[in-house]
Amino acid sequence: GYFAGYISQNADGTATHGLLVAPKTGGESSGLKWKTSRTDTSGTSSTYDGAANTANMSNTAHPAANFCATLSLGGYTDWYLPAPFEMLIAYRAFKPDSTNNDTGHGANTYAVPQVSAYGLTDPGQTSFTDFQSGGSEAFAVDSYWVSREVSTNDAQRIRFDNGVPDQSGKNSGLYVRAFRKFAV
């Protein structure tokens, strides 16, 4: 995987884990539903621990999480659907294009170092060529599921066009990119 940054699961500025994004080939899929029905899924409320959320939804009723949880990639089987603050760390590291950010979002006390809301051009397009639009590892300039349930009907997504965390119907087909983490 590719190192995206550090996260503090205590939100205190001290790293507890490093985050790795799966390679696009094998580690990303499109058109997956968060859940096949609009019903509650308990244990999916964490904003910072996608592994814990995924453990509560790694079955065929949850196609996005199941895709991640059943991956065997690069010799690892501990892939998961990231939580919102984990995905926002990847957005800052691997933003695919130069579209302006939505300045009402982006603050992340779980990121190490902690970050405030986006500026129009901060973060800017990633300097990693493979992650720029059209590159072999680039995130789509589109929406990605994260592992947090918002309501009976909706789950959270992160938009990779402007960094906005919002929500969509659980049975919508969106992009999915697997993550894994390591303790520091």
Side-chain angles (χ1 to χ4, degrees):
Y2 298 92
F3 179 71
Y6 291 105
I7 191 165
S8 169
Q9 292 193 333
N10 303 315
D12 64 2
T14 302
T16 57
H17 295 86
L19 298 175
L20 298 171
V21 173
K24 189 171 188 167
T25 300
E28 180 173 290
S29 187
S30 63
L32 293 180
K33 296 177 181 182
W34 195 90
K35 191 171 185 179
T36 56
S37 64
R38 288 184 163 190
T39 57
D40 290 327
T41 300
S42 62
T44 59
S45 62
S46 179
T47 58
Y48 62 86
D49 190 351
N53 289 345
T54 299
N56 292 309
M57 55 193 275
S58 61
N59 56 55
T60 57
H62 299 87
N66 197 54
F67 167 79
C68 298
T70 59
L71 276 179
S72 178
L73 194 58
Y76 296 95
T77 58
D78 57 348
W79 299 100
Y80 62 88
L81 185 63
F85 286 121
E86 291 173 319
M87 184 64 91
L88 289 173
I89 289 169
Y91 175 77
R92 284 188 182 269
F94 301 127
K95 182 181 177 196
D97 70 1
S98 59
T99 303
N100 285 343
N101 302 302
D102 185 313
T103 59
H105 300 281
N108 188 345
T109 58
Y110 292 95
V112 178
Q114 295 178 345
V115 292
S116 58
Y118 304 131
L120 276 180
T121 59
D122 180 27
Q125 181 181 31
T126 185
S127 61
F128 300 107
T129 307
D130 286 348
F131 278 91
Q132 292 175 356
S133 288
S136 61
E137 297 299 329
F139 281 85
V141 182
D142 209 324
S143 294
Y144 282 79
W145 281 125
V146 291
S147 59
R148 182 175 173 263
E149 180 176 74
V150 176
S151 69
T152 298
N153 294 321
D154 298 324
Q156 198 163 8
R157 65 183 182 169
I158 303 296
R159 293 177 49 182
F160 262 72
D161 59 345
N162 61 8
V164 171
D166 60 9
Q167 60 195 41
S168 188
K170 291 178 180 177
N171 58 358
S172 299
L174 301 178
Y175 280 92
V176 173
R177 188 81 168 249
F179 278 45
R180 56 185 300 273
K181 62 185 173 184
F182 58 90
V184 293

